[in-house]
Amino acid sequence: MLDYRNFERFLYSRIKRRNLIIGAGALTGLAIASQFQQRAIAQVPFSSYPFTLGVASGEPYPTSVVLWTRLAPEPLNGGGMPNVNVPIRWEVATDPNLNNIVAKGTEIAIPELAHSVRVVVNGLKPDTWYWYRFTSGTEESPIGRTRTAPQPNSDLSKFAFAFVSCQHYEQGYYTAYKYLAQEDISLVVHTGDYIYEGGITAGRVRQHNGPEIVTLEDYRNRHALYKTDPNLQATHAAFPWIVTWDDHEVENNYAGAISEVDNEPDQDPQVFLQRRAVAYQAYYEHMPLRPFSKPEGPDMQLFRRLSFGNLATFHVLDTRQYRTDQPCGDGTKERCPENFDPEATILGKRQEEWLYQGLDRSKGRWNILAQQVPVAQRDFTPGEGATFSMDKWDAYLASRDRLLGFLEQRKPSNPVVLTGDVHSNWAMDLKADFNKPESATVGSEFVCTSITSGGDGADTSPTVEAYLPDNPHIKFYNGQRGYVRCVLTPASWQTDYLVLSDVTTQSGTISNRASFVVENGRPGIQKV
C-alpha cells in the first residue's frame, strides 16, 4: 500500500513554488506537431524533483490500461523543463514493491505536450491489480496502483466504484480524496469541473495562481496547481480513473462554440474556439486518456464506452462540446419557446445516435450514463408556476424527450445516470413524463455533490425543502461535500452518499449520510 503521509511530506519538500508568469497578449492555439525532429536527451539536469504532479492511470480495458505522468520540476511556472524531448522509463509489476516486473518500456516526453506522457500498456491480465512507476534520469516517481477491467461477458458477482465532481481549489481542502484513496473500490469516475478557470478571490482557504486563465500556459499552470494537492494525487495513484469534463475546464457555462454570455473578449466564436483549443489540449495533457482523445484544434473525442464484464457498461458523455446555446438567455427562469425547439440539442446528433446504438447493443446488466448536468426535472418554484435551470437537460426538452422515450420504448437493461455539476447530492427517478407522476419510471439518476465547490455546505436547505413536494420523483437532497460510492451486483445497485463535516479546515470527518438501492429489472430508487 502507498504510504500517503510520507508521500505528502516528500512531495511538499520537493515542490518549488515560483512566481507565475502570466500569459499576455492575443489568444493563440498550439498545433501538435505530427513529427518531432529533436533528439531525446537521455538525462536532463532537472532544477528540482520532476514528478511533482504525481502519477495516474485510467481507461481500463481487459488487457490494457493507460498510465500517466508529467515532468514538471517547476509545476506552477510552465513546468520548468527545457525545450527538448526527454525519455521516461516505465515499469509495471504484479506486486507493490515492483519485484515481479511484467511490462516495461520507454516513452518520450515532448515539450509540445508539456512533457506529459500517456503509456498504453498492453498484454495485461484481465481483472487484475498492478503497480507501476516512472523513472527519468536518476529520479523516480511515486508508485501507483491500477486495475484492468474484467473480460467481456465474464460473470461478475460484484463491482464497486466511486464518482466525484467539482473540485474548486480555493473553496476547500481535498479531504474527501484522503478518504476516497482508502476505499475498497476498483475505479473512480470524475463527471467534470476538475479545474476552475477563475482568478483569485480574497478570503478563501486557498488561492488560485493568477487571474482568469485564457492561454495554454495559463491552463497548464492551473491544472498543475490542482494536481499538486497530495490527497488528489493519492486517489489518482490508488485507482484507475474514467474522466469527462463539464464547463469550468474551459469557461463557465460555455455551449459548443459559444462563450459565457457576460464575457466580452470571447463573444467572437473564433476567439472562443482558440481558447477552447488550448483548454482542451491542457486537459488532455493532464489526464490518463487514450490517444484517440488527443485534440485536433478545438475538437476532442471524449464520449466513449467502457465495459466491466457483463455487469456494467459505462457510456461516457460530453454535454458541453456539441450543445446548442442555452435557451432563454441562460439562468434559472420560466420556460420560453426556445425550450421546445426540436433542433436544440445537448448531445449533438452524432453523439446521441452513438448513445442509442450502444444502449441497444449493450450486454451489461447495468447501463451507466456518466455525464455532467442533471437529467431529471427540477422545478425550483414552490406551488403555482415553475422555473428551471437553462443549463441542464431541463432546458433541452427535445433532447430529453428523445432520451426518456428511448428508455421507455427500447428498455435497455437498468439505465442509471451519474451526474455532477450542482454541488449537492440528489437521488431521482427518471420519469417518462415528469409532469405526470403516475407515468412510467424509466431509469434512475444519482447526482454527486462537489469535492469542495461551494464550501462546507449544509445537510438541508429551506429553499430546496420548499419545492421538493412539487418534484415527487426526487427522493433525496443533501448539500454537504463528499463523494458517492456505488456497489453493483447482478441483483442490485447500492449507492452510498459519503459526506464531510467540513472542507474549510483540513480536519473534516466523513460519514455515510444516506444509502439507496435500485433492484435489477425494477427502475427507480428505494431508500435503504
Side-chain angles (χ1 to χ4, degrees), residues 93-263:
T94 58
D95 64 294
N97 295 319
L98 277 70
N99 291 323
N100 184 32
I101 303 295
V102 295
K104 60 182 179 179
T106 299
E107 196 77 13
I108 303 300
I110 61 175
E112 289 81 2
L113 289 176
H115 292 96
S116 65
V117 294
R118 277 143 302 279
V119 180
V120 180
V121 183
N122 292 296
L124 302 177
K125 294 181 178 179
D127 204 16
T128 301
W129 285 109
Y130 290 95
W131 286 259
Y132 61 94
R133 178 174 59 196
F134 295 93
T135 304
S136 188
T138 60
E139 298 282 9
E140 294 181 344
S141 76
I143 294 174
R145 185 182 68 161
T146 192
R147 188 181 181 92
T148 51
Q151 282 278 26
N153 302 321
S154 59
D155 294 327
L156 292 186
S157 60
K158 181 180 177 182
F159 177 68
F161 70 94
F163 73 105
V164 297
S165 73
C166 303
Q167 50 194 51
H168 198 301
Y169 185 85
E170 291 193 329
Q171 294 182 2
Y173 296 101
Y174 292 168
T175 315
Y177 282 127
K178 178 180 72 174
Y179 295 107
L180 180 52
Q182 303 169 37
E183 286 278 1
D184 182 16
I185 58 174
S186 297
L187 180 73
V188 172
V189 178
H190 199 294
T191 60
D193 292 343
Y194 190 96
I195 63 166
Y196 280 72
E197 82 284 12
I200 297 170
T201 301
R204 289 177 170 170
V205 297
R206 303 195 287 189
Q207 286 196 327
H208 276 154
N209 51 343
E212 181 165 352
I213 53 178
V214 291
T215 68
L216 178 58
E217 185 171 1
D218 289 344
Y219 280 99
R220 285 172 170 171
N221 287 334
R222 186 60 55 84
H223 274 281
L225 174 68
Y226 279 54
K227 269 191 154 56
T228 56
D229 185 276
N231 291 326
L232 176 57
Q233 287 195 20
T235 304
H236 269 301
F239 313 107
W241 285 42
I242 296 173
V243 299
T244 189
W245 53 36
D246 196 11
D247 52 341
H248 289 288
E249 287 86 353
V250 181
E251 182 190 42
N252 180 53
N253 277 26
Y254 83 94
I258 302 169
S259 70
E260 187 178 13
V261 172
D262 60 359
N263 195 327

Side-chain angles (χ1 to χ4, degrees), residues 25 51 72 102 200 274 424:
F51 295 104
V102 295
I200 297 170
Q274 290 177 7
S424 44

Side-chain angles (χ1 to χ4, degrees), residues 445-464:
E445 181 173 16
F446 294 110
V447 181
C448 71
T449 189
S450 60
I451 293 290
T452 55
S453 301
D456 290 332
D459 182 19
T460 60
S461 162
T463 300
V464 176

Side-chain angles (χ1 to χ4, degrees), residues 43-113:
Q43 186 167 342
V44 170
F46 298 117
S47 61
S48 185
Y49 180 64
F51 295 104
T52 54
L53 306 184
V55 299
S57 70
E59 302 295 289
Y61 288 4
T63 59
S64 70
V65 71
V66 177
L67 308 181
W68 173 93
T69 195
R70 178 188 168 198
L71 299 174
E74 300 175 36
L76 307 186
N77 190 22
M81 288 292 294
N83 190 35
V84 296
N85 295 348
V86 181
I88 299 180
R89 301 183 301 281
W90 56 269
E91 51 191 353
V92 177
T94 58
D95 64 294
N97 295 319
L98 277 70
N99 291 323
N100 184 32
I101 303 295
V102 295
K104 60 182 179 179
T106 299
E107 196 77 13
I108 303 300
I110 61 175
E112 289 81 2
L113 289 176

